Amino acid sequence: VLVKEIRDGVLGSYPANLTNVNGTLFFAANDGVNGVELWKSDGSQAGTELVRTWPASNQSYLYRAHSLTPVNDILYFTIRTAEEEDELWKSDGTSAGTFALKSSWYIENLINVNGNLFFTAAEEALPYHRLWKSDGTELGTVLVKDIYAGVAAPYFSNFYNANGVLFFSANDQLNGAEVWKSDGTYAGTVMVKDLEPGPGGSNPRSFTIANGNVYFFATVTGNGDALWKSDGTSGGTEMIKDLADND
């Protein structure tokens, strides 16, 4: 059944980025009056409502598909401001409980790991991404580690929650794109293993966990695309099979 006609007329409200936060549905929709904003629903017409609005000069047409992220009972998301900056926001579903935690040049890679929000942010003064985390407070939104070690901007991708440890692919511009992990501390944010020595990188991707190990694909000279597994240590990270090898 139709829950609610958010926008009168024939254009539709284009609800998108539907995200479950402990039984409440959050999503972005355009009611034709306020632009694309944050909504919530308990599945009833009366309980489907706009969470809050932003100034007309700051309409959020950049609710990114990956940025509506639940952590415990809180929704985290990003908006793009009129000043061409990203802002990290949190919401408990009320207007008063929806507020910004951090403003940055760019904010990406939001993910829930062990009750903390991890993300990457780039500042205008430091135009490259660094790893951050947040416990939902401004004081608790802190830099985890700057992995920058080269002459060009590092990058992050393929964030994955492996039983409370963040696995990801990162290029520190010294070792190329390799597999990294983080427990949310500076010392615990490290490259797991340099699979392709030198600046080329192995491009680890498609992380998934099974039987306590993290499995992923990587590309290494002499082997091509291969299936790897890791227990989070260098010694416990090994290739299982070269997918190009028919033997």
Side-chain angles (χ1 to χ4, degrees):
V1 296
L2 178 66
V3 175
K4 185 170 185 172
E5 187 72 51
I6 293 175
R7 184 174 187 174
D8 294 332
V10 297
L11 293 179
S13 62
Y14 295 97
N17 307 332
L18 278 68
T19 304
N20 174 26
V21 183
N22 198 26
T24 298
L25 177 71
F26 284 83
F27 59 99
N30 187 342
D31 62 4
V33 176
N34 298 291
V36 180
E37 295 293 4
L38 183 66
W39 287 68
K40 69 174 183 178
S41 178
D42 62 4
S44 69
Q45 181 174 352
T48 302
E49 56 187 347
L50 185 67
V51 175
R52 64 156 288 173
T53 61
W54 279 260
S57 62
N58 193 18
Q59 289 301 307
S60 174
Y61 290 102
L62 256 88
Y63 279 108
R64 299 171 184 155
H66 61 270
S67 69
L68 269 67
T69 306
V71 180
N72 300 324
D73 297 335
I74 299 297
L75 176 76
Y76 294 84
F77 59 98
T78 61
I79 67 171
R80 190 73 171 168
T81 70
E83 289 75 29
E84 293 298 312
E85 287 187 332
D86 280 349
E87 289 182 343
L88 175 66
W89 286 68
K90 64 177 284 190
S91 178
D92 62 3
T94 67
S95 180
T98 303
F99 53 88
L101 293 171
K102 177 177 175 56
S103 177
S104 190
W105 203 20
Y106 289 104
I107 298 175
E108 297 179 337
N109 299 308
L110 277 65
I111 189 172
N112 173 14
V113 179
N114 204 28
N116 281 290
L117 179 79
F118 283 80
F119 62 96
T120 61
E123 315 292 339
E124 187 171 5
L126 293 169
Y128 58 87
H129 281 268
R130 299 183 294 170
L131 183 65
W132 288 70
K133 70 175 182 179
S134 177
D135 63 2
T137 67
E138 289 189 55
L139 289 178
T141 302
V142 296
L143 176 68
V144 176
K145 190 170 187 176
D146 184 350
I147 71 165
Y148 179 70
V151 295
Y155 67 84
F156 300 78
S157 62
N158 299 296
F159 276 36
Y160 181 73
N161 179 5
N163 286 345
V165 176
L166 175 66
F167 271 71
F168 57 99
S169 173
N171 185 346
D172 61 5
Q173 297 301 337
L174 183 63
N175 299 289
E178 295 292 356
V179 57
W180 286 65
K181 69 174 183 178
S182 177
D183 62 4
T185 68
Y186 181 92
T189 302
V190 294
M191 183 171 62
V192 176
K193 189 171 185 175
D194 189 0
L195 305 182
E196 176 77 4
S202 64
N203 188 29
R205 58 204 180 275
S206 302
F207 295 110
T208 192
I209 194 165
N211 298 321
N213 287 303
V214 176
Y215 291 80
F216 60 96
F217 295 120
T219 305
V220 177
T221 300
N223 295 115
D225 287 337
L227 179 65
W228 290 69
K229 73 174 182 178
S230 176
D231 63 1
T233 67
S234 178
T237 302
E238 58 184 357
M239 186 178 71
I240 298 175
K241 182 174 177 60
D242 181 353
L243 302 182
D245 185 356
N246 295 321
D247 297 333

